[in-house]
Amino acid sequence: MLKSDRKSARPDIWLYLHFPLLPLETLLPQVPTEQVQKPIAIINQQKNIQRVLCCNTQAAAWGIESNLSISTALALCPELEVLPRQVEQEQQLLQQLALVAYSFSPVVILNNSEVWLEISGCQQLFKGYDALLQELENRLRYQSITAVNGIGQNPVVAKLLCGSEFETQLPDQTEIQRRLFNTELNLLETNRKQQQSFKQLGLNTVGDLLALPRSALSRRFDSELMLTIAQLNNEKPFVAPRFQPANTFRDLIQNPQGIFNKESLLFPMKMLLQRLCQYLMARQCYCREIEWHFEPLIGQSQQMQIQLSGSQNNWSTLLMLSRLQLERLELPRSIEQIILHADQFIEAPMGVFNLDLFDNQQTTQQSCELIDSLNARLGIDALSQPILNQDYLPEQASTLAIPGKHSSTAFNQKLDEKSDEKQKAPQPLWLLTDPALVQMRNQQLYWRQPLTIISGPERLCGNWWQAEQQRDYYLACDSKGARYWLFRETSSQRWFVHGLFS
Amino acid sequence: MPNNIATVLSRQDTWRGRSQRLPRRAITTGHNNLDLLLQGGWPISALTELIPQQPGIGELSLLLPTLKYYADNNQLCVWLDPPYQPYAPRLVSADIALDKLLVVRSKNHAEWLWAAEQSIRSGALLLAWTKQPPPRYADLRKLQLAAADSGNAAFLFSVPSALSAPSPAALRLELKGIEFNQLLLTVRKQRGVASGACLQLSLGEANTQRTNLALLPADRHRTYPIQQLNN
């Protein structure tokens, strides 16, 4: 819970954000482009009557305004496009807008469809409040959201002072006080009976109300109004839960017309990734994995997982990887809904803020990006890394594994110490996955060419607990100087080629 | 197309009239004689084509010092379509960090070319083995240009039949094994130098020590007839 009257040297500055066209702007991206220029109105069901909630400027030009009944609206403008309100999608959009606000200030309140943020601590970061307000307006406009704001010393005042446009100049204390005193009382959220008693008392503005002695007021009005008056005067705190970004990210874009090719998928994917990055920035973390769902109108949806070897919060890299992987994917014919889901995050690694000039952070970053893009284009089966196991048989000592999943550095050092103690027999660079059988021709070993043994043997035993193996390894060479690693199985007396020295 | 004059001038292949030529950038091969032959070592910002007469004659051991240099620099080494599986214990004994190696298998020629170019451009050391059919001149030129832009060394292992075809690689070396542990290198193409120079390289001392089988530790879990071991 957040109390607005925190003990601090600086007075609080609260910003109230109101989105008057939110129901319309939620649905606009889904409207086909040719219809956007036509008059559109959003309607809301209220007690069996459908009323206009908000409309675009084209509709307003026809005389449509909020609270008109749908029949009146259609009578005024016969070609009006009427869309029902989508409360759930509105809430999703609000969450996004709260995230935008959260990137400006850590103190954000999201209450129903109202957003407040406290900006008194953010002056230095944005180099002044006016720059902050300007930046906020730009960010909201980039999201194509119409917003108006109000500024005050506490949330209640800020809401009361909400004007009809976005203010980018911070008013000073006396200006706020003057505006508050001049605010008309009918903007105060009270019931009709109290509004009537305001009129009877001859009270027109908030200033008139606050000028009266408190004891006189408390006799005349109920406790709710008294609480509001106390909050206006900063005497009682405004209590509301603080906004926190959700623990997992899930967002979707709907396209009722359907998307038929991969190229046109990229734009909505870019938008979703940008939203993801906004979320990651707000939470100050990096994602390890993202998941796409492509859902058609009818039929099975298609999934695509993108795993990252490093951690990322850059949308363009994520888009590039998604695009590469998308090329390999068999998609449904028409896609109606695209969902982006991410739930594996890590805290921002300390190295990101490392300002060491000679740090090799960049090359590591490059390697991770290369692995990711190869992975996305060629598939996970195409990549592998050699790893060392603690085993005597060569095919088990050296295996291939998925990159990044294995760390063998600690073991490497152990082996190094061991090899220092004893001069080992030479080892090949290439290993044949399946040992190739060597023929005997005229008492000579023959594999592609006649082979002669140079040195050896070195005896290796292993796997005695199941199929016992005892092998004598030899170094052999052919007439052209190529060197081979041969072994003879003691049990069967057969010769095999197991490696090339190269 | 680079439009910035500084970018153009910083390129290694830009010739400037008055000034001296930029020192040739190269990284050491780890063999002194070879460094002399190649005027400093393996050229960086260029594609190097190695053409071993047959696999197994020591073509990969030539690159071990380079691999170690890149791995120590925390750069990735991409092995694109190697003919066999790399043997980890040998790489570890050469002090190469295994997590810096990446083996990539391509399914077709387009993937091969894409992965090769991507690796060069991402600052990794590329070791690529050509597939059948051999890559076209235009494809190799793509790789050579990528290497020139990135400032990294890139190595291509070709089959002997590629020798008759032209190549855009900055350096072409033919490798022949003469006898055990002896490698003959012939320069087939090198910038600024006439081709045809040869160098015989010895790959470590020859260990021809034979061990008596009877002295080896016997298998404790099964007994074998003595005459079988000695034949």
Side-chain angles (χ1 to χ4, degrees), chain A residues 346-363:
Chain A
I346 53 164
E347 299 282 305
M350 283 313 283
V352 173
F353 307 109
N354 194 349
L355 294 174
D356 189 355
L357 267 179
F358 303 100
D359 196 37
N360 47 25
Q361 196 71 42
Q362 203 196 341
T363 52

Side-chain angles (χ1 to χ4, degrees), chain A residues 381-392:
Chain A
D381 316 327
L383 306 189
S384 53
Q385 242 167 3
I387 53 164
L388 188 65
N389 301 313
Q390 212 154 17
D391 210 305
Y392 286 111

Side-chain angles (χ1 to χ4, degrees), chain A residues 7-148:
Chain A
K7 300 255 181 301
S8 64
R10 247 188 315 242
D12 284 355
I13 301 171
W14 282 88
L15 194 65
Y16 170 75
L17 291 178
H18 177 57
F19 311 105
L21 296 178
L22 188 72
L24 176 71
E25 279 157 350
T26 312
L27 295 174
L28 269 186
Q30 295 164 29
V31 176
T33 37
E34 65 271 16
Q35 283 184 21
V36 170
Q37 294 306 320
K38 290 185 178 168
I40 302 169
I42 306 294
I43 50 158
N44 194 18
Q45 185 89 23
Q46 270 180 350
K47 294 177 198 155
N48 296 333
I49 308 168
Q50 291 182 318
R51 286 185 184 280
V52 173
L53 197 63
C54 60
C55 60
N56 61 359
T57 45
Q58 286 87 344
W62 284 85
I64 312 284
E65 51 187 41
S66 58
N67 269 335
L68 279 186
S69 73
I70 183 167
S71 43
T72 320
L74 282 172
L76 280 170
C77 171
E79 55 190 77
L80 184 71
E81 188 80 20
V82 178
L83 299 170
R85 185 184 187 189
Q86 301 288 343
V87 180
E88 213 169 284
Q89 291 182 27
E90 261 173 52
Q91 284 305 316
Q92 267 188 351
L93 184 60
L94 264 175
Q95 287 283 335
Q96 268 179 48
L97 295 173
L99 265 179
V100 174
Y102 192 72
S103 61
F104 282 85
S105 161
V107 184
V108 172
I109 296 172
L110 174 64
N111 198 358
N112 294 325
S113 62
E114 297 163 323
V115 177
W116 283 275
L117 55 159
E118 202 279 307
I119 53 170
S120 68
C122 316
Q123 185 183 16
Q124 280 204 323
L125 179 64
F126 290 91
K127 300 193 175 68
Y129 294 117
D130 294 349
L132 184 149
L133 290 170
Q134 189 64 54
E135 176 73 21
L136 180 61
E137 193 199 6
N138 290 346
R139 284 278 292 277
L140 290 171
R141 191 179 293 160
Y142 180 70
Q143 300 236 337
S144 28
I145 295 292
T146 316
V148 294

Side-chain angles (χ1 to χ4, degrees), chain B residues 10 13 36 58 65 67 70 75 82 89 95 100-101 106 112 117 138 154 158 160 171 173 177 179 183 208-209 220:
Chain B
S10 68
D13 45 4
L36 276 177
L67 278 171
Y70 270 83
Q75 274 170 292
D95 268 346
K100 291 281 160 260
L101 302 186
S106 68
W112 182 88
E117 193 183 348
S158 300
L171 174 67
L173 273 185
E179 51 181 292
L183 193 62
T208 49
Q209 190 191 346
R220 276 162 289 163

Side-chain angles (χ1 to χ4, degrees), chain A residues 449-462:
Chain A
Q449 285 178 50
L451 307 177
T452 28
I453 287 179
I454 304 281
S455 68
E458 181 196 23
R459 182 161 288 180
L460 293 179
C461 305

